[in-house]
Structure formats: C-alpha cells, structure tokens
Coordinates of all heavy atoms in Angstrom, one line a residue:
M961 N -9.0 45.4 22.6 CA -9.2 44.4 21.6 C -10.0 43.2 22.3 O -9.7 42.8 23.4 CB -7.9 43.9 21.1 CG -8.0 42.9 20.0 SD -6.4 42.3 19.3 CE -5.8 43.8 18.6
S962 N -11.0 42.7 21.6 CA -11.8 41.6 22.2 C -11.1 40.3 22.2 O -10.1 40.1 21.5 CB -13.1 41.5 21.5 OG -12.9 41.0 20.2
K963 N -11.6 39.4 23.0 CA -11.0 38.0 23.0 C -11.0 37.3 21.7 O -10.1 36.7 21.3 CB -11.7 37.2 24.1 CG -11.3 37.4 25.5 CD -11.9 36.3 26.3 CE -11.4 36.4 27.8 NZ -12.0 35.4 28.6
A964 N -12.1 37.5 21.0 CA -12.3 36.9 19.7 C -11.2 37.4 18.7 O -10.6 36.6 17.9 CB -13.7 37.1 19.1
M965 N -11.0 38.7 18.7 CA -10.0 39.3 17.8 C -8.6 38.8 18.2 O -7.8 38.5 17.3 CB -10.1 40.8 17.9 CG -11.3 41.4 17.4 SD -11.4 41.2 15.6 CE -10.3 42.4 15.0
R966 N -8.3 38.7 19.5 CA -6.9 38.2 19.9 C -6.8 36.7 19.5 O -5.7 36.3 19.0 CB -6.8 38.3 21.4 CG -6.3 39.7 21.8 CD -6.1 39.8 23.2 NE -7.4 40.1 23.8 CZ -7.6 40.0 25.1 NH1 -6.8 39.6 25.9 NH2 -8.8 40.3 25.6
R967 N -7.8 36.0 19.6 CA -7.8 34.6 19.2 C -7.5 34.4 17.7 O -6.7 33.6 17.3 CB -9.1 33.9 19.6 CG -9.0 32.4 19.5 CD -10.3 31.7 20.0 NE -10.8 32.2 21.3 CZ -12.0 32.3 21.6 NH1 -13.0 31.9 20.8 NH2 -12.4 32.8 22.8
V968 N -8.1 35.2 16.9 CA -7.9 35.2 15.5 C -6.5 35.5 15.1 O -5.8 34.9 14.3 CB -8.9 36.1 14.7 CG1 -8.5 36.3 13.3 CG2 -10.3 35.6 14.9
R969 N -5.9 36.5 15.8 CA -4.6 37.0 15.5 C -3.6 35.9 15.9 O -2.6 35.7 15.3 CB -4.3 38.3 16.3 CG -4.9 39.5 15.7 CD -4.6 40.7 16.4 NE -3.2 41.0 16.2 CZ -2.5 41.9 16.8 NH1 -3.1 42.7 17.7 NH2 -1.2 42.2 16.6
V970 N -3.8 35.2 17.0 CA -2.9 34.1 17.5 C -3.1 32.9 16.6 O -2.1 32.2 16.3 CB -3.1 33.8 19.0 CG1 -2.4 32.6 19.4 CG2 -2.8 35.0 19.8
L971 N -4.3 32.5 16.3 CA -4.5 31.2 15.6 C -4.1 31.3 14.2 O -3.8 30.3 13.6 CB -6.0 30.8 15.7 CG -6.4 30.3 17.1 CD1 -7.9 29.9 17.1 CD2 -5.6 29.2 17.6
G972 N -4.0 32.5 13.6 CA -3.6 32.6 12.2 C -2.2 32.0 12.0 O -2.0 31.1 11.2
P973 N -1.2 32.5 12.7 CA 0.2 32.0 12.5 C 0.3 30.6 13.0 O 1.0 29.8 12.4 CB 1.0 32.9 13.4 CG 0.2 34.2 13.5 CD -1.2 33.7 13.5
V974 N -0.4 30.2 14.1 CA -0.3 28.8 14.6 C -0.9 27.8 13.6 O -0.3 26.8 13.3 CB -1.1 28.7 15.9 CG1 -1.2 27.2 16.4 CG2 -0.4 29.5 17.0
R975 N -2.0 28.2 13.0 CA -2.7 27.4 12.0 C -1.8 27.2 10.8 O -1.6 26.1 10.2 CB -4.0 28.0 11.6 CG -4.8 27.1 10.7 CD -6.2 27.6 10.4 NE -6.9 26.7 9.6 CZ -7.9 27.0 8.9 NH1 -8.4 28.2 9.0 NH2 -8.5 26.2 8.1
A976 N -1.1 28.3 10.3 CA -0.2 28.2 9.2 C 0.9 27.3 9.5 O 1.4 26.5 8.7 CB 0.3 29.6 8.8
W977 N 1.4 27.3 10.8 CA 2.6 26.5 11.2 C 2.2 25.0 11.2 O 2.9 24.1 10.7 CB 3.0 27.0 12.5 CG 4.2 26.2 13.1 CD1 5.5 26.2 12.7 CD2 4.1 25.2 14.1 NE1 6.2 25.3 13.4 CE2 5.4 24.7 14.3 CE3 3.1 24.7 14.9 CZ2 5.7 23.7 15.2 CZ3 3.4 23.7 15.8 CH2 4.7 23.2 16.0
V978 N 1.0 24.7 11.7 CA 0.5 23.4 11.8 C 0.3 22.8 10.4 O 0.6 21.7 10.1 CB -0.8 23.3 12.6 CG1 -1.5 21.9 12.4 CG2 -0.6 23.6 14.1
L979 N -0.3 23.6 9.5 CA -0.6 23.1 8.1 C 0.8 22.9 7.4 O 0.9 22.0 6.6 CB -1.4 24.1 7.4 CG -2.9 24.2 7.9 CD1 -3.6 25.3 7.1 CD2 -3.6 22.9 7.7
A980 N 1.7 23.8 7.6 CA 3.1 23.6 7.0 C 3.7 22.3 7.5 O 4.3 21.6 6.7 CB 3.9 24.8 7.3
G981 N 3.5 22.0 8.8 CA 4.1 20.8 9.3 C 3.4 19.5 8.8 O 4.0 18.5 8.5
R982 N 2.1 19.6 8.5 CA 1.3 18.6 7.9 C 1.8 18.3 6.5 O 2.0 17.2 6.1 CB -0.2 18.9 7.9 CG -1.0 17.8 8.5 CD -2.5 18.2 8.4 NE -2.9 18.7 9.6 CZ -4.0 19.4 9.8 NH1 -4.8 19.7 8.8 NH2 -4.3 19.9 11.0
D983 N 2.0 19.4 5.7 CA 2.5 19.2 4.4 C 3.9 18.6 4.4 O 4.2 17.7 3.5 CB 2.6 20.6 3.7 CG 1.2 21.1 3.4 OD1 0.2 20.3 3.4 OD2 1.1 22.3 3.1
W984 N 4.7 18.9 5.3 CA 6.1 18.4 5.4 C 6.0 16.9 5.7 O 6.7 16.1 5.0 CB 6.9 19.1 6.5 CG 8.2 18.5 6.7 CD1 9.3 18.7 5.9 CD2 8.6 17.6 7.7 NE1 10.4 18.0 6.3 CE2 10.0 17.3 7.4 CE3 8.0 17.0 8.7 CZ2 10.7 16.4 8.3 CZ3 8.7 16.1 9.6 CH2 10.0 15.8 9.3
K985 N 5.1 16.5 6.5 CA 5.0 15.0 6.8 C 4.5 14.3 5.6 O 4.9 13.2 5.3 CB 4.0 14.8 8.0 CG 4.6 15.2 9.3 CD 3.6 14.9 10.4 CE 4.1 15.4 11.8 NZ 3.2 15.2 12.8
V986 N 3.6 14.9 4.9 CA 3.1 14.2 3.7 C 4.2 14.0 2.7 O 4.4 13.0 2.1 CB 1.9 15.0 3.1 CG1 1.5 14.4 1.7 CG2 0.7 14.9 4.0
R987 N 5.0 15.1 2.5 CA 6.1 15.0 1.5 C 7.1 14.0 2.0 O 7.7 13.3 1.2 CB 6.7 16.4 1.3 CG 5.9 17.2 0.3 CD 6.5 18.5 0.0 NE 5.9 19.5 0.9 CZ 6.5 20.3 1.7 NH1 7.8 20.4 1.6 NH2 5.9 21.1 2.5
R988 N 7.4 14.0 3.3 CA 8.4 13.1 3.8 C 8.1 11.6 3.6 O 9.0 10.9 3.2 CB 8.6 13.4 5.3 CG 9.7 12.6 5.9 CD 9.8 12.9 7.4 NE 8.5 12.5 8.0 CZ 8.4 12.1 9.2 NH1 9.4 12.2 10.0 NH2 7.2 11.8 9.7
D989 N 6.9 11.2 3.7 CA 6.5 9.8 3.5 C 5.8 9.6 2.2 O 5.0 8.7 2.1 CB 5.6 9.4 4.7 CG 6.3 9.4 6.0 OD1 7.5 9.3 6.0 OD2 5.6 9.6 7.0
A990 N 6.1 10.3 1.2 CA 5.4 10.3 -0.1 C 5.7 9.0 -0.9 O 4.9 8.6 -1.7 CB 5.7 11.5 -0.9
G991 N 6.9 8.4 -0.7 CA 7.3 7.3 -1.5 C 8.3 6.4 -0.8 O 8.8 6.7 0.3
M992 N 8.7 5.3 -1.5 CA 9.7 4.4 -1.0 C 11.0 4.8 -1.5 O 11.2 5.4 -2.6 CB 9.4 3.0 -1.4 CG 8.1 2.4 -0.9 SD 7.9 0.6 -1.1 CE 7.9 0.5 -2.9
V993 N 12.1 4.5 -0.8 CA 13.4 4.7 -1.2 C 13.9 3.4 -2.0 O 13.2 2.4 -2.0 CB 14.4 4.9 0.0 CG1 14.0 6.2 0.7 CG2 14.3 3.8 1.0
T994 N 15.0 3.5 -2.6 CA 15.5 2.5 -3.5 C 15.6 1.1 -2.8 O 15.3 0.1 -3.3 CB 16.9 2.9 -4.1 OG1 16.7 4.1 -4.8 CG2 17.4 1.9 -5.1
S995 N 16.1 1.2 -1.5 CA 16.3 -0.1 -0.8 C 14.9 -0.7 -0.5 O 14.8 -2.0 -0.5 CB 17.0 0.2 0.5 OG 16.3 1.1 1.3
E996 N 13.9 0.0 -0.3 CA 12.6 -0.5 -0.1 C 12.0 -1.1 -1.4 O 11.4 -2.2 -1.4 CB 11.6 0.5 0.4 CG 11.9 0.9 1.9 CD 11.1 2.1 2.3 OE1 10.7 3.0 1.5 OE2 10.8 2.2 3.5
Y997 N 12.3 -0.5 -2.5 CA 11.9 -1.1 -3.8 C 12.6 -2.4 -4.0 O 12.1 -3.4 -4.5 CB 12.2 -0.1 -5.0 CG 11.2 0.9 -5.2 CD1 11.6 2.3 -5.0 CD2 9.9 0.6 -5.6 CE1 10.6 3.3 -5.3 CE2 9.0 1.6 -5.8 CZ 9.3 2.9 -5.6 OH 8.4 3.9 -5.8
A998 N 13.9 -2.4 -3.7 CA 14.7 -3.6 -3.9 C 14.2 -4.8 -3.0 O 14.0 -5.9 -3.5 CB 16.2 -3.4 -3.6
M999 N 13.9 -4.5 -1.8 CA 13.4 -5.5 -0.9 C 12.0 -6.0 -1.3 O 11.7 -7.2 -1.3 CB 13.3 -5.0 0.6 CG 14.7 -4.8 1.2 SD 15.7 -6.2 1.2 CE 14.8 -7.3 2.3
G1000 N 11.2 -5.1 -1.8 CA 9.8 -5.5 -2.3 C 10.0 -6.4 -3.6 O 9.2 -7.3 -3.7
L1001 N 10.9 -6.0 -4.4 CA 11.1 -6.8 -5.7 C 11.7 -8.2 -5.3 O 11.2 -9.2 -5.9 CB 12.1 -6.1 -6.6 CG 12.4 -6.7 -7.9 CD1 11.1 -6.8 -8.7 CD2 13.4 -5.9 -8.7
I1002 N 12.6 -8.3 -4.4 CA 13.1 -9.6 -4.0 C 12.0 -10.4 -3.4 O 11.9 -11.6 -3.7 CB 14.3 -9.4 -3.0 CG1 15.5 -8.8 -3.8 CG2 14.7 -10.7 -2.4 CD1 16.6 -8.4 -2.9
T1003 N 11.2 -9.9 -2.6 CA 10.1 -10.6 -1.9 C 9.1 -11.1 -3.0 O 8.7 -12.2 -2.9 CB 9.4 -9.7 -0.9 OG1 10.4 -9.3 0.0 CG2 8.3 -10.5 -0.2
A1004 N 8.8 -10.2 -3.9 CA 7.8 -10.6 -5.0 C 8.4 -11.7 -5.9 O 7.6 -12.7 -6.2 CB 7.5 -9.4 -5.8
V1005 N 9.6 -11.7 -6.2 CA 10.3 -12.7 -7.0 C 10.3 -14.0 -6.2 O 10.0 -15.1 -6.8 CB 11.7 -12.3 -7.5 CG1 12.4 -13.5 -8.1 CG2 11.6 -11.1 -8.5
G1006 N 10.7 -13.9 -5.0 CA 10.7 -15.2 -4.1 C 9.3 -15.8 -4.0 O 9.2 -17.0 -4.2
F1007 N 8.3 -15.0 -3.8 CA 6.9 -15.5 -3.8 C 6.5 -16.1 -5.1 O 5.9 -17.2 -5.1 CB 6.0 -14.4 -3.4 CG 4.5 -14.8 -3.2 CD1 4.2 -15.6 -2.2 CD2 3.6 -14.5 -4.2 CE1 2.8 -16.0 -2.0 CE2 2.3 -14.9 -4.1 CZ 1.9 -15.7 -3.0
A1008 N 6.9 -15.5 -6.2 CA 6.5 -16.0 -7.5 C 7.2 -17.4 -7.8 O 6.6 -18.3 -8.3 CB 6.9 -15.0 -8.6
V1009 N 8.4 -17.5 -7.3 CA 9.2 -18.8 -7.5 C 8.5 -19.9 -6.7 O 8.3 -21.0 -7.2 CB 10.6 -18.6 -7.1 CG1 11.3 -20.0 -7.0 CG2 11.4 -17.8 -8.1
V1010 N 8.1 -19.6 -5.5 CA 7.5 -20.6 -4.6 C 6.1 -21.0 -5.2 O 5.8 -22.1 -5.3 CB 7.3 -20.1 -3.2 CG1 6.4 -21.0 -2.4 CG2 8.7 -19.9 -2.5
L1011 N 5.4 -20.0 -5.7 CA 4.1 -20.2 -6.3 C 4.2 -21.1 -7.6 O 3.4 -22.0 -7.8 CB 3.3 -18.9 -6.6 CG 1.9 -19.0 -7.1 CD1 1.0 -19.7 -6.1 CD2 1.4 -17.6 -7.4
Y1012 N 5.2 -20.8 -8.4 CA 5.4 -21.5 -9.6 C 5.8 -23.0 -9.3 O 5.3 -23.9 -9.9 CB 6.6 -20.9 -10.4 CG 6.9 -21.7 -11.6 CD1 6.2 -21.6 -12.8 CD2 8.1 -22.5 -11.7 CE1 6.5 -22.3 -13.9 CE2 8.4 -23.2 -12.8 CZ 7.6 -23.1 -13.9 OH 7.9 -23.8 -15.0
E1013 N 6.6 -23.2 -8.3 CA 7.0 -24.5 -7.9 C 5.8 -25.3 -7.4 O 5.6 -26.5 -7.7 CB 8.1 -24.5 -6.8 CG 9.4 -24.0 -7.3 CD 10.0 -25.0 -8.4 OE1 9.9 -26.2 -8.3 OE2 10.6 -24.4 -9.3
V1014 N 4.9 -24.7 -6.6 CA 3.7 -25.4 -6.1 C 2.8 -25.7 -7.2 O 2.3 -26.8 -7.3 CB 3.0 -24.5 -5.0 CG1 1.7 -25.0 -4.7 CG2 3.9 -24.4 -3.8
L1015 N 2.6 -24.8 -8.1 CA 1.6 -25.0 -9.2 C 2.1 -26.0 -10.2 O 1.3 -26.6 -10.9 CB 1.2 -23.7 -9.9 CG 0.4 -22.7 -9.0 CD1 0.1 -21.4 -9.7 CD2 -0.9 -23.4 -8.6
T1016 N 3.4 -26.1 -10.4 CA 3.9 -27.1 -11.4 C 4.2 -28.5 -10.8 O 4.7 -29.3 -11.5 CB 5.2 -26.5 -12.1 OG1 6.1 -26.2 -11.1 CG2 4.8 -25.3 -12.9
S1017 N 4.0 -28.6 -9.5 CA 4.2 -29.9 -8.9 C 3.2 -30.9 -9.4 O 2.1 -30.6 -9.9 CB 4.1 -29.9 -7.3 OG 2.8 -29.6 -6.9
G1018 N 3.5 -32.2 -9.4 CA 2.7 -33.2 -10.0 C 1.3 -33.3 -9.4 O 0.3 -33.4 -10.1
Q1019 N 1.2 -33.2 -8.1 CA -0.1 -33.3 -7.4 C -1.0 -32.2 -7.7 O -2.2 -32.4 -8.0 CB 0.2 -33.4 -5.9 CG -1.0 -33.9 -5.1 CD -0.6 -34.1 -3.6 OE1 0.4 -33.6 -3.2 NE2 -1.5 -34.8 -2.9
V1020 N -0.5 -31.0 -7.7 CA -1.3 -29.8 -8.0 C -1.7 -29.8 -9.4 O -2.8 -29.4 -9.8 CB -0.6 -28.5 -7.5 CG1 -1.4 -27.3 -8.0 CG2 -0.4 -28.5 -6.0
R1021 N -0.7 -30.1 -10.3 CA -1.0 -30.1 -11.7 C -2.1 -31.1 -12.0 O -3.0 -30.8 -12.8 CB 0.2 -30.5 -12.5 CG 0.0 -30.5 -14.0 CD 1.2 -30.9 -14.8 NE 2.2 -29.8 -14.7 CZ 3.4 -29.9 -15.3 NH1 3.8 -30.9 -15.8 NH2 4.1 -28.8 -15.2
G1022 N -2.1 -32.3 -11.4 CA -3.2 -33.3 -11.6 C -4.5 -32.8 -11.1 O -5.5 -33.0 -11.8
A1023 N -4.5 -32.1 -10.0 CA -5.8 -31.6 -9.5 C -6.3 -30.5 -10.4 O -7.5 -30.4 -10.6 CB -5.6 -31.0 -8.1
L1024 N -5.5 -29.6 -10.9 CA -5.9 -28.6 -11.8 C -6.4 -29.1 -13.1 O -7.5 -28.7 -13.6 CB -4.8 -27.6 -12.1 CG -4.4 -26.6 -10.9 CD1 -3.2 -25.8 -11.3 CD2 -5.6 -25.7 -10.5
Q1025 N -5.8 -30.2 -13.6 CA -6.2 -30.8 -14.8 C -7.6 -31.5 -14.6 O -8.5 -31.4 -15.5 CB -5.2 -31.8 -15.4 CG -4.0 -31.1 -16.0 CD -2.9 -32.1 -16.4 OE1 -3.0 -33.3 -16.0 NE2 -2.0 -31.7 -17.2
D1026 N -7.8 -32.1 -13.5 CA -9.1 -32.7 -13.1 C -10.2 -31.6 -13.1 O -11.3 -31.9 -13.6 CB -8.9 -33.4 -11.8 CG -10.2 -34.1 -11.4 OD1 -10.8 -34.8 -12.3 OD2 -10.6 -34.0 -10.3
I1027 N -9.9 -30.5 -12.4 CA -10.9 -29.4 -12.4 C -11.3 -28.9 -13.7 O -12.5 -28.8 -14.1 CB -10.4 -28.3 -11.5 CG1 -10.3 -28.7 -10.0 CG2 -11.3 -27.0 -11.6 CD1 -9.6 -27.8 -9.1
V1028 N -10.3 -28.7 -14.6 CA -10.5 -28.2 -15.9 C -11.3 -29.2 -16.8 O -12.2 -28.9 -17.5 CB -9.2 -27.8 -16.6 CG1 -9.4 -27.5 -18.1 CG2 -8.6 -26.6 -15.9
G1029 N -10.9 -30.5 -16.6 CA -11.6 -31.6 -17.3 C -13.0 -31.7 -17.0 O -13.9 -31.8 -17.8
R1030 N -13.3 -31.6 -15.6 CA -14.7 -31.7 -15.2 C -15.5 -30.4 -15.7 O -16.7 -30.6 -16.1 CB -14.8 -31.8 -13.7 CG -14.5 -33.2 -13.2 CD -14.8 -33.3 -11.7 NE -13.7 -32.7 -11.0 CZ -13.7 -32.1 -9.8 NH1 -14.9 -31.9 -9.2 NH2 -12.7 -31.6 -9.3
A1031 N -14.9 -29.3 -15.8 CA -15.6 -28.1 -16.2 C -15.9 -28.2 -17.7 O -16.9 -27.8 -18.2 CB -14.7 -26.9 -16.0
L1032 N -15.0 -28.8 -18.5 CA -15.2 -28.9 -20.0 C -16.2 -30.0 -20.3 O -16.9 -29.9 -21.3 CB -13.9 -29.1 -20.7 CG -12.9 -28.0 -20.6 CD1 -11.5 -28.4 -21.3 CD2 -13.4 -26.8 -21.4
N1033 N -16.3 -31.0 -19.5 CA -17.2 -32.1 -19.7 C -18.5 -32.0 -19.0 O -19.3 -33.0 -19.0 CB -16.5 -33.5 -19.4 CG -15.3 -33.7 -20.2 OD1 -15.3 -33.4 -21.4 ND2 -14.3 -34.4 -19.7
G1034 N -18.7 -30.9 -18.4 CA -20.0 -30.7 -17.6 C -21.2 -30.6 -18.5 O -21.1 -30.3 -19.7
Q1035 N -22.3 -31.0 -18.0 CA -23.6 -30.9 -18.8 C -24.2 -29.6 -18.6 O -24.2 -29.0 -17.5 CB -24.5 -32.1 -18.4 CG -23.9 -33.4 -18.7 CD -24.9 -34.5 -18.2 OE1 -26.0 -34.2 -17.7 NE2 -24.5 -35.8 -18.5
F1036 N -24.8 -29.1 -19.6 CA -25.5 -27.8 -19.5 C -27.0 -28.0 -19.4 O -27.6 -28.8 -19.9 CB -25.2 -27.0 -20.8 CG -23.8 -26.5 -20.9 CD1 -22.9 -27.2 -21.7 CD2 -23.3 -25.5 -20.1 CE1 -21.6 -26.7 -21.8 CE2 -22.0 -25.1 -20.2 CZ -21.1 -25.7 -21.0

C-alpha cells in the first residue's frame, strides 16, 4: 500500500473525530444560561435607570431643550 493510501485511511477517522469535536464545542457554547440572562437583564435595567436619571436632570434637560429650540428656530 502506498503512503498516500495509508494517509487517506488514517486521516479519514481522525478528520471525523476532529469535526465531531468542533461540533461539540459549537453546541456547548451555543447560548447563555439562565443566570447569564439574569445578570444581563439586571445590568441593562441598571444602565437604563442611570441614563434616565441623567437625561431627566435639570442641567441636561435644559441643554436638550436648547438644542431642540435652536433646531426648530433655525433658518433655511
């Protein structure tokens, strides 16, 4: 049997094993678990609260109203 033929016979099962391992890794990390969803949700809500507080503060509200007012009164 030639070297090329032996290589094909050996690489066939090895390649199948490597591809099966790759599929397993993809399936293993396919999504988040419930605790990761909970932590992400808590973080998002915390960020939303901080952003809401900043945007509704007097100084930021005044700046936003000034920007909108200048945009509406601009000349074309």
Side-chain angles (χ1 to χ4, degrees):
M961 184 179 295
S962 70
K963 279 187 173 181
M965 292 292 286
R966 277 185 273 165
R967 194 176 309 147
V968 169
R969 286 182 66 189
V970 170
L971 289 181
V974 171
R975 185 173 183 201
W977 180 74
V978 168
L979 291 176
R982 228 183 265 163
D983 290 344
W984 176 77
K985 287 180 183 177
V986 170
R987 278 183 267 132
R988 182 181 59 154
D989 294 334
M992 294 191 299
V993 294
T994 304
S995 60
E996 290 172 330
Y997 278 117
M999 292 304 294
L1001 183 62
I1002 290 169
T1003 303
V1005 169
F1007 182 72
V1009 168
V1010 170
L1011 186 62
Y1012 177 77
E1013 290 296 323
V1014 168
L1015 290 178
T1016 57
S1017 69
Q1019 194 173 17
V1020 174
R1021 180 180 288 176
L1024 289 174
Q1025 287 176 346
D1026 182 47
I1027 291 170
V1028 171
R1030 280 188 283 147
L1032 293 175
N1033 294 327
Q1035 295 181 359
F1036 292 102

